[in-house]
Amino acid sequence: MVIDGQIFCGMLISAANALDNNKTIINNMNVFPVPDGDTGINMTLTMSAIKTLSRSDGSLSDVAEKGANIVLRAARGNSGAILSLFFRGMAKSFRGLDAAGSTELARAFRRGSDEAYKAVMNPTEGTILTIMRTCAEKAEKGAAGKYADDVVGLFAYIGRKAEEALAKTPEQLPVLKEVNLVDAGGYGFVVILNGMLAALRHHPVEALSADEDEEESVERTFAEVSTADIRFGYCTECIVEKDTVHRGEGSADSFKHFVSELGDSMVFVDDEEIIKLHIHTNHPGRVLEAALEYGSLMTVKIENMRNQHSEILGVSTSTAEEEPVLYRAIPEKKYGFVSVCMGDGIRDTFCDLGVDQIIFGGQTMNPSTQDIIDGVNRTPAEIVFVLPNNKNIYMVAQQAATIIEDKKVIVLATKNVPQGISAMLAIDPDAELDVNMESMNAAIDAVKALSVTHAVRDTTLNDVKIADGQYLGMVDGKIDTVCDSLDDCMKQLSAQAEGSSFITIFYGEETTEEAALTVAEYFKEKAGVMADVNVICGGQPLYPYLVSIE
Amino acid sequence: MNPYVILTDSSGDLTDEIVAGMPLETVQLEVILDGEGAKPNCDIDIQDFYAKLRSKKNATTSAVGIDAFLAKMEPILQAGNDILYIGFSSGLSGTFNAGFVAAQELAEKYPDRTIATVNTRAASLGEGLLVYLALKMKQDGADMETVRQYLENNKLHLCHWFTVDDLFFLKRGGRVNAATAVVGTMLGIKPIMHVDNKGKLIKVTTAKGRKGSIDALFEKMKETAIEPENQIIFISHGDCQADAEYLANRIRNELHVKEVQIGFVGPVIGAHSGPGTLALFFLGTER
């Protein structure tokens, strides 16, 4: 047996379903006990776009290429970015092949792993990368030995080794051991492998229906995602009157089998004299052509389901297979800015600072490569700076930058909102690029970012006991204080303001202005009378306070 | 040669304290506060004025008219004096132009008198500092032409660096174009502005927060001041004495200037710059 395009396509879809069914588990494998676990959602959203692949998209080379492109554009979060690079590497390795045996599969794993490693500047062991590399090593070993002619066996072997590698991740990453978890991204990758294997064994993983999965992500309700979720665009129905040669019940088994590969939701009635067929497919023509071999078409009905769906939603039609329709703004100025952020007040602040395009996202809601590409395209400037404002969005932003060709795109390494704001304050619209780069990067380094959120479970981190519901005060992403009351937490954090002159406090959606003004007093006290302390209603979720200190 | 009188307008914000008894004539611009009618600049209580601006009362100003100049100048000429008029930037007000027209008219009527005019392209205590330097020279015996020449040669070295708390007032008064916006007003980003060689208000850069903006004024002076140890420095403020003192102390301690004088931004300028304006004036290599 070999893996051809159709089988590979089924494997990818099965993997996407498997992820979808497990995303909540993966989300909860967050090292920090903070309410922003998003690896599961990121990986799921990255992979679910693959469900738009149609089952008969040609050779393995073609399917892998299409699949990789879809995943690349849908990539969200670092885990999603790494995943997309893995599939990209696989696709490159499969280029030109109709099908793959063990040797080709092993090569593809190696290439995928290599491509993923290349993109990460400081690869950390004990993460998804380790699992990928282990898979590549074991695949090579298996293909050269026991599984040289058994691609299914090889895949199963790779899957087992991946699970073993995953179980070892706590030994490689001390922080995982401390919180007694395996790496979430690695776990997701193992889920993907298992999903692919299941399909290879003819038992592909089906998606659980939405009501079985209670934590359906909010953004999946966006209209465009929903239309993309319709994998097969045409509801095709026909009744065939069997010609004399084909009379008899069950005479059309091979037709049934052929059609079933062209779509889903099939209803097939193979009667004595007629065949009645209902199927959702992307190829109504092929269905009808094949039907003609058994007799004449009595009735035919074909409906475009995406159109219907779009009409219901009141949006224009766009099918997933088309290139997304893009609006490209013509450059009107030298510099433009795309910033990722959450919260109305923070958005307004960025707009006030001259940001052209805001991409909604941040903790728990990472934008995709395509979201960032769209933002850049809409920005009417020759040079577009992208401010990810989150370390988990940086990679995807860089990926977007490599895809965009007609504009110069520079991704700034802003890990949080305060850094993003400082970078915007440092820009001089009349200065040369290198001057601006230097001053923006210096500004990013000069700002101290405080954030406060609450723990979502009991844990011990760096020998500090943290109880569910306690407030965690973080300085530049590291836990600094753990308190039962938010007020105490801010009091302690205010020590960070000593000697500073410019402090901005963004209070979140769950905080009142009154409380924020009290907190501002703590900071004023530490910073001294001449310091400016601004209090802004940031409106961000999950984080009662974000504070920028300069 | 006739004796001469130095004449200025009230946008120079000079106080009796600064002038210290040196003879100076001043024409008054007028300020119109919401519902209170026009009042000459000198009749307004400055603290009360700023309190009213803070409570969002509208204030507008009117330039000195030709008539007012004629009325002020003619008696001086009749008494046998020449006149040196040192006036408010033509880039900001019609006052200087009115003075210039009045001077030409009177020149015909009094052919044996001289009326010299200097368009300082300056404002507030920047204009005031030029007037002050002229008064000092006169006191030391300089003739009118020498003083006029000095002013012409030095007026574009008279640097104005200032910050405002809220650009609203400058925009309302049409003193900066509407496009002069400060990015980051929500964050407390402040404009650092100056008066350019045309005598217009220009935003040069921005600073983070109030303290940042005051320090930026200091840095500008440090960059361009000519022999600060020999200079008298003027600072004017829109009812923010403490900030003015902070700036003055930095200048005294770090640049070792001869003297720092602090005064209010008067109602005429204050109506347009608003409360919280802080302005620094010194002689520098360029504006």
Side-chain angles (χ1 to χ4, degrees):
Chain A
M1 177 181 172
V2 288
I3 299 175
D4 63 11
Q6 205 170 332
I7 293 172
F8 192 63
C9 175
M11 288 165 75
L12 291 176
I13 291 167
S14 172
N17 287 336
L19 260 187
D20 211 346
N21 300 344
N22 283 285
K23 65 173 180 274
T24 311
I25 297 171
I26 304 172
N27 275 345
N28 292 340
M29 296 177 133
N30 194 12
V31 171
F32 278 9
V34 295
D36 61 3
D38 51 13
T39 306
I41 285 183
N42 281 335
M43 293 184 89
T44 301
L45 289 173
T46 301
M47 281 301 282
S48 26
I50 208 90
K51 295 180 194 173
T52 59
L53 265 182
S54 94
R55 280 184 189 274
S56 43
D57 263 336
S59 67
L60 175 62
S61 175
D62 289 349
V63 171
E65 183 76 33
K66 272 191 192 166
N69 279 335
I70 291 170
V71 173
L72 183 73
R73 284 175 182 272
R76 281 164 208 258
N78 290 342
S79 49
I82 291 170
L83 199 57
S84 71
L85 291 162
F86 179 82
F87 282 112
R88 187 149 199 82
M90 274 199 143
K92 284 181 185 170
S93 177
F94 284 149
R95 204 165 278 168
L97 297 181
D98 280 333
S102 293
T103 317
E104 291 81 12
L105 184 66
R107 270 191 214 131
F109 265 98
R110 167 56 66 193
R111 185 78 186 260
S113 164
D114 286 354
E115 296 270 332
Y117 259 87
K118 254 197 300 193
V120 180
M121 269 175 291
N122 303 303
T124 310
E125 289 306 324
T127 63
I128 185 170
L129 287 172
T130 309
I131 316 293
M132 286 174 173
R133 199 197 57 225
T134 306
C135 288
E137 283 162 7
K138 300 301 173 189
E140 283 164 345
K141 191 177 158 208
K146 196 172 165 190
Y147 303 105
D149 298 312
D150 178 7
V151 74
V152 181
L154 179 65
F155 211 102
Y157 172 69
I158 295 169
R160 282 197 304 278
K161 292 299 170 187
E163 280 181 26
E164 285 172 27
L166 176 67
K168 284 185 201 150
T169 54
E171 304 301 323
Q172 291 163 311
L173 262 184
V175 70
L176 291 174
K177 190 176 175 111
E178 199 176 351
V179 294
N180 198 24
L181 285 173
V182 296
D183 178 64
Y187 185 92
F189 190 64
V190 168
V191 167
I192 287 171
L193 292 179
N194 287 336
M196 292 175 84
L197 179 62
L200 200 50
R201 285 173 164 161
H202 305 293
H203 299 290
V205 178
E206 301 290 340
L208 298 175
S209 65
D211 46 292
E212 282 173 75
D213 189 6
E214 51 196 61
E215 284 210 13
E216 189 66 7
S217 122
V218 183
E219 60 210 293
R220 293 291 301 282
T221 61
F222 286 172
E224 56 180 328
V225 179
S226 302
T227 44
D229 275 353
I230 298 173
R231 273 161 57 199
F232 299 106
Y234 300 96
C235 172
T236 308
E237 286 179 349
C238 64
I239 297 172
V240 182
E241 188 180 9
K242 288 180 177 175
D243 56 33
T244 44
V245 198
H246 292 97
R247 286 275 158 88
E249 224 177 290
S251 65
D253 263 355
S254 65
F255 176 49
K256 180 179 173 184
H257 181 74
F258 170 76
V259 173
S260 72
E261 297 288 346
L262 291 175
D264 66 5
S265 306
M266 186 172 78
V267 179
F268 195 92
V269 181
D270 188 0
D271 214 333
E272 175 70 29
E273 285 180 24
I274 59 157
I275 300 167
K276 195 172 172 194
L277 170 67
H278 166 280
I279 191 168
H280 296 167
T281 179
N282 287 325
H283 300 287
R286 285 194 209 166
V287 172
L288 298 180
E289 279 296 325
L292 282 173
E293 300 211 15
Y294 291 85
S296 53
L297 293 166
M298 309 285 291
T299 62
V300 173
K301 191 176 100 188
I302 301 171
E303 279 171 358
N304 183 326
M305 295 195 297
R306 290 195 182 94
N307 255 349
Q308 289 175 341
H309 189 74
S310 299
E311 276 161 24
I312 292 163
L313 290 166
V315 296
S316 64
T317 316
S318 91
T319 66
E321 265 116 76
E322 285 169 18
E323 277 291 299
V325 181
L326 290 181
Y327 168 69
R328 279 199 166 76
I330 293 163
E332 295 162 1
K333 55 182 176 179
K334 188 163 179 191
Y335 300 118
F337 305 89
V338 174
S339 179
V340 183
C341 67
M342 271 178 125
D344 290 353
I346 293 176
R347 179 198 63 206
D348 292 349
T349 305
F350 273 113
C351 290
D352 184 38
L353 290 172
V355 165
D356 300 273
Q357 288 288 320
I358 299 283
I359 297 172
F360 180 70
Q363 306 293 358
T364 74
M365 274 277 276
N366 293 165
S368 69
T369 314
Q370 189 65 52
D371 293 338
I372 292 170
I373 292 172
D374 291 348
V376 172
N377 281 331
R378 288 194 188 99
T379 302
E382 292 161 36
I383 300 171
V384 180
F385 289 97
V386 178
L387 293 86
N389 304 331
N390 185 310
K391 64 180 184 331
N392 206 24
I393 297 173
Y394 182 68
M395 269 189 80
V396 159
Q398 280 194 314
Q399 205 153 283
T402 61
I403 293 174
I404 292 162
E405 285 166 356
D406 57 346
K407 278 176 184 161
K408 189 170 174 66
V409 182
I410 295 169
V411 180
L412 293 169
T414 55
K415 292 203 270 305
N416 47 54
V417 165
Q419 286 187 338
I421 286 170
S422 278
M424 286 307 299
L425 288 173
I427 190 84
D428 174 356
D430 301 320
E432 290 300 316
L433 179 59
D434 52 344
V435 175
N436 271 324
M437 286 291 287
E438 198 175 308
S439 50
M440 289 171 102
N441 283 324
I444 290 168
D445 290 340
V447 66
K448 201 186 285 182
L450 312 184
S451 56
V452 181
T453 187
H454 50 88
V456 288
R457 62 162 195 269
D458 295 344
T459 188
T460 304
L461 204 63
N462 302 327
D463 296 327
V464 180
K465 273 207 163 146
I466 299 167
D468 190 0
Q470 278 192 305
Y471 286 94
L472 308 177
M474 289 181 275
V475 179
D476 291 332
K478 293 198 175 67
I479 295 181
D480 179 81
T481 50
V482 180
C483 295
D484 289 328
S485 103
L486 183 56
D487 196 61
D488 284 346
C489 195
M490 295 313 290
K491 235 178 227 167
Q492 291 193 28
L493 280 180
S494 68
Q496 299 288 336
E498 213 142 331
S500 64
S501 64
F502 190 64
I503 296 162
T504 312
I505 299 173
F506 294 98
Y507 62 94
E509 60 183 8
E510 51 199 278
T511 319
T512 63
E513 184 178 10
E514 200 187 351
L517 290 172
T518 310
V519 163
E521 288 306 317
Y522 305 152
F523 282 82
K524 260 182 205 157
E525 209 170 289
K526 298 285 181 195
V529 279
M530 286 298 284
D532 282 78
V533 181
N534 286 298
V535 175
I536 294 177
C537 175
Q540 71 276 10
L542 304 176
Y543 286 75
Y545 290 104
L546 293 173
V547 182
S548 154
I549 298 181
E550 288 180 63
Chain B
M1 206 191 307
N2 302 312
Y4 68 100
V5 166
I6 295 180
L7 172 68
T8 188
D9 48 55
S10 60
S11 57
D13 291 342
L14 281 169
T15 59
D16 291 345
E17 199 189 342
I18 296 173
V19 173
M22 292 185 283
L24 175 66
E25 291 291 333
T26 308
V27 287
Q28 296 290 324
L29 283 85
E30 289 188 331
V31 177
I32 304 112
L33 258 173
D34 255 0
E36 292 184 18
K39 271 190 198 171
N41 192 50
C42 57
D43 289 357
I44 296 169
D45 179 90
I46 191 75
Q47 257 143 353
D48 175 58
F49 172 76
Y50 277 113
K52 282 174 176 155
L53 280 191
R54 284 199 175 93
S55 65
K56 297 287 167 207
K57 272 210 165 184
N58 197 12
T60 54
T61 55
S62 65
V64 181
I66 297 170
D67 285 357
F69 270 106
L70 292 174
K72 190 80 183 180
M73 286 173 168
E74 197 155 9
I76 300 172
L77 298 173
Q78 281 168 352
N81 298 297
D82 289 345
I83 295 175
L84 174 60
Y85 167 54
I86 307 172
F88 187 18
S89 171
S90 61
L92 295 171
S93 165
T95 299
F96 176 79
N97 200 42
F100 185 76
V101 172
Q104 300 219 308
E105 207 161 293
L106 291 169
E108 285 170 25
K109 202 167 165 187
Y110 299 90
D112 52 349
R113 302 278 187 274
T114 309
I115 307 174
T117 57
V118 176
N119 176 5
T120 61
R121 299 182 195 265
S124 186
L125 279 179
E127 178 190 352
L129 184 49
L130 285 170
V131 172
Y132 177 84
L133 293 171
L135 291 172
K136 280 280 188 191
M137 286 178 77
K138 178 167 183 274
Q139 194 176 44
D140 294 343
D143 62 36
M144 188 167 88
E145 180 54 20
T146 308
V147 176
R148 191 193 68 79
Q149 269 301 329
Y150 173 84
L151 293 175
E152 287 298 342
N153 292 340
N154 285 282
K155 68 185 189 187
L156 295 185
H157 289 292
L158 200 289
C159 302
H160 304 55
W161 285 100
F162 68 104
T163 184
V164 298
D165 212 33
D166 190 343
L167 268 176
F168 164 79
F169 294 94
L170 285 174
K171 284 184 184 159
R172 184 178 70 183
R175 258 58 183 185
V176 290
N177 68 38
T180 304
V182 167
V183 296
T185 44
M186 285 175 71
L187 288 168
I189 299 304
K190 305 295 181 189
I192 304 299
M193 308 184 64
H194 83 154
V195 178
D196 72 1
N197 287 344
K198 290 178 183 154
K200 290 190 177 297
L201 309 184
I202 304 290
K203 188 192 93 184
V204 176
T205 178
T206 56
K208 286 176 194 175
R210 181 66 175 174
K211 180 172 181 294
S213 68
I214 300 172
D215 289 338
L217 301 182
F218 171 81
E219 292 301 328
K220 289 292 179 191
M221 175 169 174
K222 201 175 157 189
E223 271 171 39
T224 60
I226 302 167
E227 298 176 14
E229 60 281 2
N230 296 324
Q231 281 204 49
I232 292 172
I233 306 304
F234 281 7
I235 295 172
S236 62
H237 66 89
D239 201 22
C240 49
Q241 184 77 27
D243 292 341
E245 296 285 357
Y246 167 81
L247 179 59
N249 283 332
R250 276 206 76 178
I251 291 169
R252 282 192 199 104
N253 296 338
E254 295 176 53
L255 300 176
H256 312 291
V257 298
K258 214 159 80 182
E259 195 184 332
V260 181
Q261 289 278 2
I262 297 173
F264 272 97
V265 177
V268 169
I269 306 287
H272 299 296
S273 60
T277 299
L278 187 65
L280 172 62
F281 310 99
F282 58 91
L283 288 169
T285 49
E286 58 176 355
R287 276 195 176 179

